[in-house]
Amino acid sequence: MSKTDPHSSEPRRRRSPEERPRQIIQAALEVFEERGLSGARLEDIARRAGIAKGTIYLYFPNKEELFSEVIRQTVIARLDIAQLQIDSPTGTVTEQVRAYTASWWEFLCTPEFQTVHRLVHGELHRFPELVRFYVSNVVSRSHALIGRLLQRGVDSGEFRALDVPSVSRIVSSLLITNAVWACKMAAFRPEALTPRDQVFEQVNDFLLAAVRAQTPQPVDAGTSSAAVPPHHFTSL
Amino acid sequence: MSKTDPHSSEPRRRRSPEERPRQIIQAALEVFEERGLSGARLEDIARRAGIAKGTIYLYFPNKEELFSEVIRQTVIARLDIAQLQIDSPTGTVTEQVRAYTASWWEFLCTPEFQTVHRLVHGELHRFPELVRFYVSNVVSRSHALIGRLLQRGVDSGEFRALDVPSVSRIVSSLLITNAVWACKMAAFRPEALTPRDQVFEQVNDFLLAAVRAQTPQPVDAGTSSAAVPPHHFTSL
Amino acid sequence: MSKTDPHSSEPRRRRSPEERPRQIIQAALEVFEERGLSGARLEDIARRAGIAKGTIYLYFPNKEELFSEVIRQTVIARLDIAQLQIDSPTGTVTEQVRAYTASWWEFLCTPEFQTVHRLVHGELHRFPELVRFYVSNVVSRSHALIGRLLQRGVDSGEFRALDVPSVSRIVSSLLITNAVWACKMAAFRPEALTPRDQVFEQVNDFLLAAVRAQTPQPVDAGTSSAAVPPHHFTSL
Amino acid sequence: MSKTDPHSSEPRRRRSPEERPRQIIQAALEVFEERGLSGARLEDIARRAGIAKGTIYLYFPNKEELFSEVIRQTVIARLDIAQLQIDSPTGTVTEQVRAYTASWWEFLCTPEFQTVHRLVHGELHRFPELVRFYVSNVVSRSHALIGRLLQRGVDSGEFRALDVPSVSRIVSSLLITNAVWACKMAAFRPEALTPRDQVFEQVNDFLLAAVRAQTPQPVDAGTSSAAVPPHHFTSL
DNA sequence: GATGAATGAGTATTCATTCAT
DNA sequence: GATGAATGAATACTCATTCAT
């Protein structure tokens, strides 16, 4: 009745022999999204995956490991895809940034990422190992990619002199938080809010404004920056 | 007979018959911080508050309502305090912005806010009413305050022409996310990370760079920047 | 309906505030007897004790600890009682032995001991600590008591020179095993078997025959035996 | 694909298509020994037998029947062997008894019998049929064999007049219990205990002392015994 | 015959909530 | 008002058994 696979005529068993893990992870993601980690009942996940409760334990030793895998699979898979679209730059750095953040924004707005983000913030801190994994593989990686773009802009003179690591982190935070908010709002008050794409443009404008080189004074740039402590960006 | 020993004069409880609710809320906040909503046991909260389990039900109809109150009380109380420090502007708008964000940042870094933030992201979506409350009383309010400052800056010509509502939201997101990240990191790798205050400066620099008027007076550039604390961005 | 306390009119709760542990242990003993350790369901124990499942956990941390306590309480309590009846010797050592073994036999035939014995043999080996406890407090103690009697007999010349420790063990084994068998048989084929008391006499005769002094006074044989109950061995 | 690797030539299984049942029973015995009936998992038994879980069901309808067969096969097979060594008497009856009990003791000390004994005591009572089988085929048979020896001794005058059935049972209990205890102790405190063989000598001495004819009065023996209830030993 | 993936009934344990004292 | 003993619904996990291959 509630089976997800209406067009399958197989008599229940052996639906997709090697797809099981993916099937389960997908179902788990959905249930975790709706109820959080501790609120999700294994039985619901099983039902949603169209399998029996016990079957989950053939592939995952327990609920927590299943949770870990959900986080891992979902984010990493998407990150790889996103990265591919990014690694071949075209146009000015400003254009590259726009292309990159647009693609990234797209990902951040997927239900998968939204869910993972909530889980990460709400329940991950009980899993220190997972936190470490997440920080290295998602957060740092994302910062690094942005850092590469920013550095290019600084090198080409399109951007002002930046403390690339900190600005990368800040830009990252900007994208993530605003994507989450935009989606949450969209879900809450679908009628009255700034559409997702428009929010993106606002964010993009904001961050470009923050990093672009100041139009005029090429003259003083070098001198004034010298007076500033080394580990801060000194503009120009 | 075997347990409570009625004639022992414990110096702990019986303190402040009218403080009970606050006592409970404070204890609940601490336990929620450590274990999340579903992980928190009423018995732990009671023990931490120095009262019996049943007593909680004299003040709160159930666990969820207690949770709501924790969110409400904690954030609102702090917000009021924070706002007071902000409402009396002094100096240039840029200086006002810095003062405002510094104070706000202070609040965002308190354990109370950190906890509430995690609870809000991780478990609030099961409480639509609370979400609405949170959005109106915390998110919107925070945006509005920033918006007032930004508008002043636009009016005075210190800032470029801005879409105040969207930029307010963006600035807000910047502060919250970076405060949360900074605190999380501080908790995780206390040795190796950019200290909290430094992160604040980076964020502040970034957002001022994004909003400041574009074409600065090339002449005054050097001078005006001199008035600003040395380790901040001075560039036009 | 299945409540054990038919004449209680209390509305379920607060039946016997301090009797709880004993109540639970008694119920557990009965259920363990019927189904063994792993076969016993906590719910059955609770129902038999007239309480709710969760209540058990207010007094015992888990099923295994409950099991331990059942063993401990049941055997030790009975042992103390049995010992009291024994410590005041009267008559010849042979008579003392008979009195002792009779009393001990009585205990060995109680359903409590029968149950404990089965549990001990069948399921105790998973609880090394309990085994140690059982060996020191039941087995060794039982051997020691018999040893005292035997030594007296050796000293008085009624018994032959014996290796007291090993004979104590052997006598102990004789009583236990035959008591268990007698009870088992009685339960199984109540119609056709040697009654319990008769088995006891047979065992008692056997062991006295094994320990009595070898070369009896051929002269008194007939007379002395006359003082002994007719169905007992009267020889020398 | 990820697990069984069909083209690997495992040298373990596929051995002896007709040995399967025995293979399984042996594996089951080992697992039952380690974990008891309810603690034993069919998967473990299968793994130990080098076959797949389902295969067990080709030979045994369910776990309980497998258990029954384990008991049956193990004890009966050994009994037959033991009996053969016994049926050809040599020497005095006292010597025959020693030879018999020694051989029997050997069997009682095998891990197989030890395991079966524990299972029988701990879990057999849920299988009334099996109990009946065990009583007729092991207990009674064992008693009967001893009874034959005892009768020979009585007839030859080496033993006193005995109630053969009851003394058989008693002697049997003596051997079994002491063998079990000796082995258990050996397993528990291997360093400090009377060695198995020495225990046997003690038991043998004890039982011979209990049954041997009293050195002197060969005269009265026959007459006095006539007055005693038929199924009891009347001594002398 | 053999396999082992799949099933789902069965249970120890937890904990929010109640209520007699 | 306070208490905390008692309740019992809820749920992760196990494992005997089945059956498509």
Side-chain angles (χ1 to χ4, degrees), chain D:
Chain D
M1 173 200 187
S2 60
K3 286 199 176 158
T4 12
D5 207 0
H7 51 289
S8 93
S9 60
E10 290 161 37
R12 178 66 173 295
R13 60 185 68 168
R14 203 51 53 110
R15 195 182 353 130
S16 57
E18 303 194 339
E19 283 297 311
R20 276 296 135 77
R22 209 180 309 280
Q23 228 174 88
I24 295 169
I25 284 174
Q26 179 56 32
L29 180 66
E30 292 170 27
V31 179
F32 284 146
E33 176 172 8
E34 291 166 16
R35 323 186 97 88
L37 172 58
S38 57
R41 291 181 296 129
L42 281 224
E43 186 148 17
D44 292 340
I45 295 173
R47 184 170 19 258
R48 178 131 9 178
I51 58 173
K53 226 183 331 171
T55 307
I56 294 175
Y57 285 86
L58 296 176
Y59 299 97
F60 304 93
N62 57 43
K63 196 185 180 183
E64 301 200 339
E65 277 306 315
L66 170 57
F67 177 69
S68 298
E69 275 308 302
V70 167
I71 300 292
R72 256 188 282 273
Q73 300 286 340
T74 304
V75 182
I76 295 304
R78 285 287 186 156
L79 255 179
D80 291 341
I81 294 173
Q83 181 164 7
L84 287 181
Q85 305 172 326
I86 288 156
D87 258 349
S88 47
T90 55
T92 65
V93 178
T94 300
E95 284 163 359
Q96 288 172 32
V97 166
R98 201 190 179 286
Y100 172 78
T101 55
S103 169
W104 188 236
W105 180 269
E106 218 50 54
F107 166 49
L108 297 178
C109 286
T110 57
E112 283 82 4
F113 176 79
Q114 295 281 325
T115 301
V116 167
H117 184 259
R118 190 167 68 228
L119 293 172
V120 164
H121 271 80
E123 327 216 39
L124 209 62
H125 72 121
R126 272 179 276 165
F127 307 82
E129 248 179 292
L130 245 190
V131 174
R132 233 179 307 281
F133 168 86
Y134 192 80
V135 168
S136 331
N137 288 280
V138 180
V139 178
S140 300
R141 195 170 160 192
S142 151
H143 291 179
L145 289 171
I146 290 180
R148 291 226 313 263
L149 282 184
L150 293 178
Q151 190 59 56
R152 281 184 213 159
V154 172
D155 294 345
S156 76
E158 283 176 72
F159 298 162
R160 59 185 171 91
L162 299 167
D163 177 46
V164 171
S166 76
V167 175
S168 301
R169 206 184 52 231
I170 289 170
V171 169
S172 217
S173 77
L174 220 40
L175 290 167
I176 290 183
T177 309
N178 282 279
V180 170
W181 284 6
C183 294
K184 233 178 223 152
M185 289 295 96
F188 242 115
R189 306 191 266 170
E191 72 299 350
L193 255 296
T194 323
R196 198 168 298 183
D197 293 347
Q198 200 171 325
V199 173
F200 169 69
E201 298 302 340
Q202 295 164 351
V203 171
N204 193 244
D205 289 350
F206 184 88
L207 72 88
L208 284 175
V211 300
R212 70 171 166 245
Q214 299 310 114
T215 346
Q217 79 261 63
V219 185
D220 309 330
T223 36
S224 73
S225 72
V228 179
H231 64 285
H232 289 123
F233 84 87
T234 49
S235 79
L236 251 309

Side-chain angles (χ1 to χ4, degrees), chain B residues 35-236:
Chain B
R35 321 187 99 89
L37 172 58
S38 55
R41 292 182 295 130
L42 280 227
E43 186 148 19
D44 292 341
I45 295 172
R47 187 175 12 260
R48 178 131 11 179
I51 58 173
K53 225 185 330 173
T55 306
I56 293 175
Y57 286 87
L58 297 175
Y59 300 96
F60 304 93
N62 56 44
K63 196 185 181 183
E64 300 200 340
E65 277 306 313
L66 170 57
F67 177 70
S68 297
E69 275 308 302
V70 167
I71 300 291
R72 256 188 281 272
Q73 299 286 339
T74 305
V75 182
I76 293 306
R78 285 288 186 156
L79 256 180
D80 291 341
I81 295 173
Q83 181 163 7
L84 287 181
Q85 305 172 326
I86 288 158
D87 257 350
S88 46
T90 54
T92 66
V93 178
T94 299
E95 285 164 357
Q96 289 172 33
V97 166
R98 196 186 182 284
Y100 172 79
T101 56
S103 169
W104 188 237
W105 178 270
E106 217 52 52
F107 166 50
L108 297 179
C109 286
T110 57
E112 282 83 3
F113 177 79
Q114 295 280 326
T115 299
V116 167
H117 184 258
R118 190 166 67 229
L119 292 172
V120 164
H121 270 79
E123 327 217 39
L124 209 61
H125 72 122
R126 272 178 275 165
F127 306 81
E129 247 178 295
L130 247 190
V131 174
R132 233 179 306 282
F133 168 87
Y134 192 81
V135 168
S136 331
N137 287 280
V138 181
V139 179
S140 301
R141 195 169 161 193
S142 150
H143 291 179
L145 288 171
I146 291 181
R148 291 222 318 259
L149 283 184
L150 294 177
Q151 191 59 56
R152 282 183 212 159
V154 172
D155 294 344
S156 77
E158 283 176 75
F159 299 162
R160 61 184 171 90
L162 299 168
D163 176 46
V164 172
S166 76
V167 175
S168 302
R169 206 185 51 232
I170 289 169
V171 168
S172 218
S173 76
L174 220 41
L175 290 167
I176 290 183
T177 308
N178 282 278
V180 170
W181 285 6
C183 294
K184 234 179 222 150
M185 289 293 98
F188 242 115
R189 306 190 267 170
E191 73 299 350
L193 253 295
T194 325
R196 196 168 299 182
D197 293 348
Q198 203 168 319
V199 173
F200 169 69
E201 300 302 342
Q202 294 165 351
V203 171
N204 194 243
D205 288 348
F206 184 89
L207 72 88
L208 285 175
V211 299
R212 71 178 170 238
Q214 290 300 86
T215 347
Q217 312 82 322
V219 184
D220 306 333
T223 35
S224 74
S225 72
V228 179
H231 63 285
H232 292 126
F233 85 88
T234 48
S235 69
L236 261 301

